[in-house]
Coordinates of all heavy atoms in Angstrom, one line a residue:
E325 N 139.3 117.6 51.6 CA 139.7 116.2 51.9 C 139.0 115.7 53.2 O 139.2 114.6 53.7 CB 141.2 116.1 52.1 CG 142.0 116.3 50.8 CD 141.7 115.1 49.8 OE1 141.1 114.1 50.2 OE2 142.1 115.2 48.7
L326 N 138.2 116.6 53.9 CA 137.5 116.2 55.1 C 136.1 115.6 54.6 O 135.6 116.1 53.6 CB 137.2 117.4 56.0 CG 138.4 118.1 56.7 CD1 137.9 119.2 57.5 CD2 139.2 117.1 57.5
E327 N 135.6 114.7 55.4 CA 134.2 114.3 55.2 C 133.3 115.5 55.3 O 133.6 116.4 56.2 CB 133.8 113.2 56.2 CG 134.4 111.9 56.0 CD 133.9 111.2 54.7 OE1 132.9 111.6 54.2 OE2 134.6 110.2 54.3
Y329 N 130.4 116.3 56.6 CA 129.8 116.6 57.9 C 130.9 117.1 58.8 O 130.6 118.1 59.7 CB 129.2 115.4 58.5 CG 130.1 114.3 59.0 CD1 130.6 114.4 60.4 CD2 130.6 113.3 58.2 CE1 131.5 113.4 60.8 CE2 131.5 112.4 58.7 CZ 131.9 112.4 60.0 OH 132.8 111.5 60.4
L330 N 132.1 116.6 58.8 CA 133.2 117.1 59.7 C 133.7 118.5 59.3 O 133.8 119.4 60.1 CB 134.4 116.1 59.6 CG 135.6 116.4 60.4 CD1 135.2 116.6 61.9 CD2 136.7 115.3 60.3
R396 N 146.3 117.4 55.4 CA 145.6 116.7 54.4 C 145.9 117.2 53.0 O 145.2 116.9 52.0 CB 144.1 116.6 54.7 CG 143.9 116.0 56.1 CD 142.4 115.7 56.3 NE 142.3 115.2 57.7 CZ 141.5 114.2 58.1 NH1 140.6 113.7 57.2 NH2 141.5 113.8 59.3
A402 N 145.8 112.2 53.0 CA 144.4 112.6 53.4 C 143.5 111.4 53.4 O 142.6 111.3 54.3 CB 143.9 113.6 52.4
A403 N 143.7 110.5 52.4 CA 142.8 109.3 52.4 C 143.1 108.4 53.6 O 142.2 107.8 54.2 CB 143.1 108.5 51.1
V404 N 144.3 108.3 54.1 CA 144.7 107.5 55.3 C 144.1 108.2 56.5 O 143.5 107.5 57.4 CB 146.2 107.4 55.4 CG1 146.6 106.8 56.8 CG2 146.8 106.5 54.3
L405 N 144.2 109.5 56.6 CA 143.6 110.2 57.8 C 142.1 110.1 57.8 O 141.5 110.0 58.9 CB 144.1 111.6 57.8 CG 145.6 111.9 58.0 CD1 145.9 113.4 57.9 CD2 146.0 111.4 59.4
R406 N 141.4 110.1 56.7 CA 140.0 109.9 56.7 C 139.7 108.5 57.2 O 138.7 108.3 57.9 CB 139.4 110.0 55.3 CG 139.3 111.4 54.8 CD 138.3 111.6 53.6 NE 138.7 110.7 52.5 CZ 139.5 111.0 51.5 NH1 140.1 112.2 51.6 NH2 139.8 110.2 50.6
G407 N 140.5 107.5 56.9 CA 140.3 106.2 57.5 C 140.5 106.2 59.0 O 139.7 105.5 59.7
L408 N 141.5 106.9 59.5 CA 141.7 107.0 60.9 C 140.5 107.7 61.6 O 140.1 107.4 62.7 CB 143.0 107.7 61.2 CG 144.2 106.8 60.8 CD1 145.5 107.7 60.9 CD2 144.4 105.6 61.7
D409 N 140.0 108.8 60.9 CA 138.8 109.4 61.4 C 137.7 108.4 61.7 O 137.0 108.4 62.7 CB 138.2 110.5 60.4 CG 139.2 111.6 60.2 OD1 140.1 111.8 61.0 OD2 139.0 112.4 59.2
A410 N 137.4 107.6 60.6 CA 136.4 106.6 60.7 C 136.6 105.6 61.8 O 135.7 105.2 62.6 CB 136.2 105.9 59.4
L411 N 137.9 105.1 61.9 CA 138.2 104.2 63.0 C 138.0 104.8 64.4 O 137.5 104.1 65.3 CB 139.7 103.7 62.9 CG 140.0 102.7 61.8 CD1 141.5 102.4 61.8 CD2 139.3 101.4 62.1
A412 N 138.4 106.0 64.5 CA 138.2 106.7 65.8 C 136.7 106.7 66.2 O 136.4 106.4 67.4 CB 138.8 108.1 65.8
V413 N 135.9 107.1 65.3 CA 134.5 107.2 65.6 C 133.9 105.8 65.9 O 133.2 105.6 66.9 CB 133.7 107.8 64.4 CG1 132.2 107.6 64.5 CG2 134.1 109.3 64.2
H414 N 134.3 104.8 65.2 CA 133.8 103.4 65.5 C 134.3 103.0 66.9 O 133.5 102.3 67.6 CB 134.4 102.4 64.4 CG 133.9 101.0 64.7 ND1 132.7 100.6 64.1 CD2 134.3 100.0 65.4 CE1 132.5 99.3 64.5 NE2 133.5 99.0 65.3
S415 N 135.5 103.3 67.2 CA 136.1 102.9 68.5 C 135.3 103.5 69.7 O 135.2 102.9 70.8 CB 137.5 103.2 68.7 OG 137.7 104.6 68.9
M416 N 134.7 104.6 69.5 CA 133.8 105.2 70.5 C 132.4 104.8 70.5 O 131.7 104.5 71.5 CB 133.9 106.8 70.4 CG 135.2 107.4 70.8 SD 135.2 109.2 70.8 CE 135.2 109.5 69.1
P428 N 131.0 111.8 69.1 CA 131.5 113.0 68.5 C 132.3 112.8 67.2 O 132.8 111.7 67.0 CB 132.4 113.7 69.5 CG 132.9 112.6 70.3 CD 131.8 111.5 70.4
S429 N 132.3 113.8 66.4 CA 133.2 113.7 65.2 C 134.7 113.7 65.6 O 135.0 114.2 66.7 CB 132.9 114.9 64.2 OG 131.5 115.0 63.9
V430 N 135.5 113.2 64.7 CA 136.9 113.2 65.0 C 137.7 113.7 63.8 O 137.4 113.3 62.6 CB 137.4 111.7 65.3 CG1 138.9 111.7 65.5 CG2 136.7 111.2 66.5
L431 N 138.7 114.5 64.0 CA 139.6 115.0 63.0 C 141.0 114.5 63.4 O 141.6 115.0 64.5 CB 139.6 116.5 63.0 CG 140.7 117.2 62.1 CD1 140.5 116.9 60.7 CD2 140.6 118.7 62.3
T432 N 141.6 113.6 62.7 CA 143.0 113.2 63.0 C 143.9 114.0 62.2 O 143.6 114.5 61.1 CB 143.1 111.7 62.7 OG1 142.8 111.4 61.3 CG2 142.3 110.8 63.6
Y433 N 145.1 114.1 62.7 CA 146.2 114.8 62.0 C 147.5 114.2 62.3 O 147.7 113.6 63.4 CB 146.1 116.3 62.3 CG 146.4 116.7 63.7 CD1 147.7 117.1 64.1 CD2 145.5 116.6 64.7 CE1 148.0 117.5 65.4 CE2 145.7 117.0 66.0 CZ 147.0 117.4 66.4 OH 147.3 117.7 67.7
A458 N 136.7 116.1 68.2 CA 137.9 115.7 68.8 C 139.0 115.7 67.8 O 138.9 115.2 66.7 CB 137.6 114.2 69.3
I460 N 142.7 114.5 67.1 CA 143.6 113.5 67.6 C 144.9 113.6 66.8 O 144.9 113.4 65.6 CB 143.0 112.1 67.6 CG1 141.8 112.1 68.5 CG2 144.0 111.1 68.0 CD1 141.1 110.7 68.5
I462 N 148.2 112.0 65.5 CA 148.9 110.7 65.2 C 150.3 111.0 64.9 O 150.6 111.8 64.1 CB 148.2 110.0 64.0 CG1 146.7 109.8 64.2 CG2 148.9 108.7 63.7 CD1 146.3 108.9 65.3
L473 N 145.5 105.7 68.7 CA 144.3 106.4 68.3 C 143.2 106.0 69.3 O 142.4 106.8 69.8 CB 143.8 105.9 66.9 CG 142.5 106.5 66.4 CD1 142.6 107.9 66.0 CD2 142.0 105.6 65.2
T477 N 140.8 108.0 72.0 CA 139.4 108.0 72.0 C 138.9 107.5 73.4 O 137.8 107.8 73.8 CB 138.8 107.2 70.9 OG1 139.2 105.8 71.0 CG2 139.2 107.7 69.5
L690 N 143.3 101.4 55.4 CA 142.9 102.7 55.9 C 142.3 103.5 54.8 O 141.3 104.3 55.1 CB 144.1 103.4 56.6 CG 144.5 102.8 57.9 CD1 145.8 103.5 58.4 CD2 143.5 102.9 59.0
M693 N 138.8 102.3 54.4 CA 138.0 102.8 55.6 C 137.6 104.2 55.4 O 136.5 104.6 55.8 CB 138.8 102.7 56.9 CG 138.9 101.2 57.4 SD 137.3 100.5 57.9 CE 136.8 101.7 59.2
G694 N 138.4 105.0 54.8 CA 138.1 106.4 54.6 C 137.4 106.7 53.3 O 137.2 107.9 52.9

Side-chain angles (χ1 to χ4, degrees):
E325 292 293 351
L326 296 179
E327 289 289 347
Y329 73 91
L330 178 58
R396 304 190 180 215
V404 170
L405 291 175
R406 284 198 305 273
L408 291 170
D409 295 344
L411 279 178
V413 169
H414 182 92
S415 73
M416 292 185 284
S429 304
V430 177
L431 170 65
T432 57
Y433 63 98
I460 297 179
I462 302 296
L473 178 76
T477 60
L690 287 175
M693 283 293 301

